[in-house]
Amino acid sequence: MQTDPQIKLELDFVLIPEGEFVIGSNPRKDRLAQTDESPQHRLRVTDYYIMRYPVTNAQYHLFVQATGHRPPLFWPDGQYPENQADHPVVGVSLRDAAEFCRWGAGITNLPLRLPTEPEWEKAARGPDGRVFPWGNDWDGSRCNHGEGKPAPVTPVHQFSPQGDSPYGIADTGGNTQDWCASLFGPYPYDPSDGRELLVYNLDEQGLMPRLHETGCVANPQQIEAALDKLVVRGGSRRQGRHNSRCAYRSWAAPMHRSDDTGFRCCYEPAK
């Protein structure tokens, strides 16, 4: 993929420091908890950076212009909606998001990728296991939600800082959901069970994860966590408080292009 060194791609990253955090839900503390969020457990995650906001239409437009990649599904007639420049891009598949990361890596000289499921959840809730990004109590004024009826998409900064996570990450409780790199699998979370093959491919000849519009294909000898199910995280403008919880889990087929699903990039610092 060719890149133009003159392109000014500005992405706002926040450091999420190494340490343990609580992942999943405890039904005794969260009456909205779902079975696939249990058991609640603790994980240690090393340092990483994640975007403060989801990728916007303006940022994705640079990618489309530079590479000729197909436009998002919901751009009118495939044309960049300049009046929604600061809105999160939606209508992108997993492959579209991964290709943006690959292109962005060449522009920024950073090893950009999609976040794993634990990376996303830690960024959204902090280390203390809170229910919502802002605390344990529902507050519909802090995010763009669809409780009652779907809401229109809003600029990525509209509910910041009032809806931010402890780390200052915006729009994790509403507006648009985010693609993650993880295959959907049961808890407790185990990165060695095959769900992170798209991120941690240590043996290209042996594991061979391949990204297709029709799904994810990996080594048949590897115990895969799921087939054609990629994690999608976060609340959205179509959903209510249940989906705005930090531990809420969902999935979609890799070719899925929805009007309430976008993405944000992350990267691990050089060791």
Side-chain angles (χ1 to χ4, degrees), residues 47-76:
D47 289 349
Y48 64 99
Y49 289 85
I50 193 167
M51 287 178 63
R52 185 182 305 275
Y53 306 108
V55 172
T56 64
N57 282 320
Q59 292 162 339
Y60 202 84
H61 178 52
L62 293 175
F63 164 58
V64 171
Q65 278 191 313
T67 65
H69 193 87
R70 68 180 182 183
L73 183 60
F74 299 102
W75 282 6

Side-chain angles (χ1 to χ4, degrees), residues 182-200:
S182 306
L183 289 165
F184 191 89
Y187 281 176
Y189 171 84
D190 180 2
S192 68
D193 68 3
R195 73 184 74 196
E196 300 301 354
L197 284 178
L198 296 178
V199 175
Y200 303 113

Side-chain angles (χ1 to χ4, degrees), residues 55-66 68-92 100 153 257-259 261 263:
V55 172
T56 64
N57 282 320
Q59 292 162 339
Y60 202 84
H61 178 52
L62 293 175
F63 164 58
V64 171
Q65 278 191 313
H69 193 87
R70 68 180 182 183
L73 183 60
F74 299 102
W75 282 6
D77 298 318
Q79 299 302 306
Y80 167 54
E82 293 188 40
N83 62 332
Q84 296 181 0
D86 57 358
H87 288 48
V89 66
V90 295
V92 292
F100 176 93
V153 179
R257 293 200 286 169
S258 172
D259 64 358
T261 303
F263 68 100

Side-chain angles (χ1 to χ4, degrees), residues 127-148:
D128 59 7
R130 60 184 57 196
V131 176
F132 299 100
W134 52 83
N136 288 320
D137 298 320
W138 169 248
D139 183 348
S141 69
R142 293 179 182 266
C143 67
N144 182 21
H145 62 86
E147 190 150 296

Side-chain angles (χ1 to χ4, degrees), residues 52-53 142 156-164 168-171:
R52 185 182 305 275
Y53 306 108
R142 293 179 182 266
V156 296
H157 50 74
Q158 183 161 321
F159 289 87
S160 180
Q162 66 269 31
D164 289 356
I169 308 302
D171 264 5

